[in-house]
Amino acid sequence: PPFPVESGYMEKPTVVNNVETLCSVTKIIYHGASWWKEFGTEDSSGTKLLSISGDCKFPGIYEIEWGISIKEILELVGADDVQAIQVGGPSGNCINPSMFNRTLGFNDLATGGSMIVIGNKRDLLRDVVMNFTDFFIEESCGSCVTCRTMTVLLKKKLEKVLNGKGVQQDLDDLIAWKEIMKLSRCGLGQTAMNPITTTIENFPELYKKHLNEGDYFSEFNLEDAVKEHCAATGRDFKAEGGDHE
């Protein structure tokens, strides 16, 4: 930052000339601004291109008016038995069915144009959240310590929870770490926690069913730690009373 739309040419807000912007500009020039404002809502005028994929009958590229609801979009793409919608790609917001009446727009659900439909047959945390977490690890340029190291720590913490070794404090840590990630220089690092934090917020039951009761659970297992040593020396860990350690 600052980004071109905030401070660009002559330090003034400057349009980013991507393909969608250019297409919209040509239509506005041809038909006029009043025509363009007939589409969408008062605060979010015009149309938006959406790339919709996932568990639906008709995935593809759709041009919709701002202000359309998630429920209407699901009907449009032939999606049923939906567990969640990922709005805005990995950096966006993962919403649950109680939020499907929300609308796309700058005052509600803003999106760059990506939507992923996630059906109930998928394991949301392992199939989607973990996948997105790996994505941020691979995409980090490594410039910021927050993004370079915290993304790996996030994955380890998530694995701990999913493997049944987590406690409530682990979820609290994940929420608290979001403030640390905001110190990253670019948007990738600043939003790298979104897959985890938005699902903790909107799908808390999926996390809590993996948690252990109590305030602490040790990940260290002595038998696993000495397994290679015992194999090399021919020692029997349990026979020597190791299971009582």
Side-chain angles (χ1 to χ4, degrees):
F3 301 104
V5 291
E6 298 170 352
S7 177
Y9 180 66
M10 301 293 287
E11 299 185 358
K12 301 293 185 180
T14 304
V15 172
V16 177
N17 293 320
N18 55 45
V19 174
E20 186 175 8
T21 298
L22 292 173
C23 290
S24 298
V25 168
T26 56
K27 288 186 288 186
I28 294 171
I29 292 174
Y30 187 81
H31 294 286
S34 298
W35 171 85
W36 178 255
K37 291 182 178 179
E38 291 177 0
F39 300 100
T41 67
E42 182 178 354
D43 297 313
S44 303
S45 59
T47 64
K48 178 63 183 174
L49 292 178
L50 293 180
S51 173
I52 303 178
S53 61
D55 300 318
C56 58
K57 295 178 182 177
F58 311 112
I61 306 297
Y62 291 79
E63 184 175 12
I64 56 90
E65 293 186 50
W66 286 111
I68 191 173
S69 70
I70 297 297
K71 183 177 180 181
E72 291 174 306
I73 292 175
L74 293 179
E75 294 174 354
L76 190 66
V77 301
D80 51 25
D81 193 33
V82 179
Q83 174 183 189
I85 300 292
Q86 182 70 30
V87 181
S91 298
N93 187 14
C94 189
I95 63 175
N96 62 43
S98 70
M99 307 167 75
F100 288 176
N101 287 325
R102 294 181 63 178
T103 59
L104 296 184
F106 295 109
N107 289 339
D108 193 358
L109 283 175
T111 175
S114 167
M115 287 184 59
I116 304 173
V117 182
I118 304 166
N120 278 305
K121 293 182 179 180
R122 296 188 186 274
D123 186 325
L124 180 61
L125 303 188
R126 295 184 185 276
D127 297 343
V128 180
V129 177
M130 184 61 75
N131 182 283
F132 287 164
T133 302
D134 285 331
F135 164 80
F136 283 110
I137 292 174
E138 293 298 322
E139 289 299 310
S140 173
C141 74
S143 176
C144 304
V145 175
T146 49
C147 191
R148 183 174 67 248
T149 62
M150 289 297 292
T151 50
V152 177
L153 294 177
L154 291 173
K155 179 179 180 179
K156 291 183 177 180
K157 182 76 80 171
L158 182 59
E159 287 177 332
K160 178 184 177 183
V161 172
L162 295 183
N163 291 333
K165 298 180 179 179
V167 294
Q168 181 60 46
Q169 184 60 48
D170 291 308
L171 297 187
D172 295 340
D173 288 342
L174 288 170
I175 295 296
W177 289 354
K178 185 175 182 177
E179 296 303 314
I180 299 176
M181 291 300 292
K182 289 180 180 179
L183 299 175
S184 300
R185 294 179 62 191
C186 81
L188 185 134
Q190 293 167 8
T191 60
M193 286 204 62
N194 283 7
I196 295 176
T197 54
T198 62
T199 49
I200 290 178
E201 179 181 353
N202 297 327
F203 301 87
E205 69 284 353
L206 297 183
Y207 286 89
K208 290 182 179 179
K209 71 179 183 180
H210 292 289
L211 297 182
N212 278 274
E213 295 183 1
D215 299 325
Y216 178 77
F217 186 91
S218 176
E219 291 187 87
F220 180 74
N221 184 291
L222 182 58
E223 184 174 2
D224 288 340
V226 300
K227 185 180 296 183
E228 292 185 2
H229 170 77
C230 289
T233 59
R235 300 180 64 179
D236 189 327
F237 177 79
K238 292 185 177 180
E240 297 184 21
D243 55 337
H244 296 300
E245 292 290 333

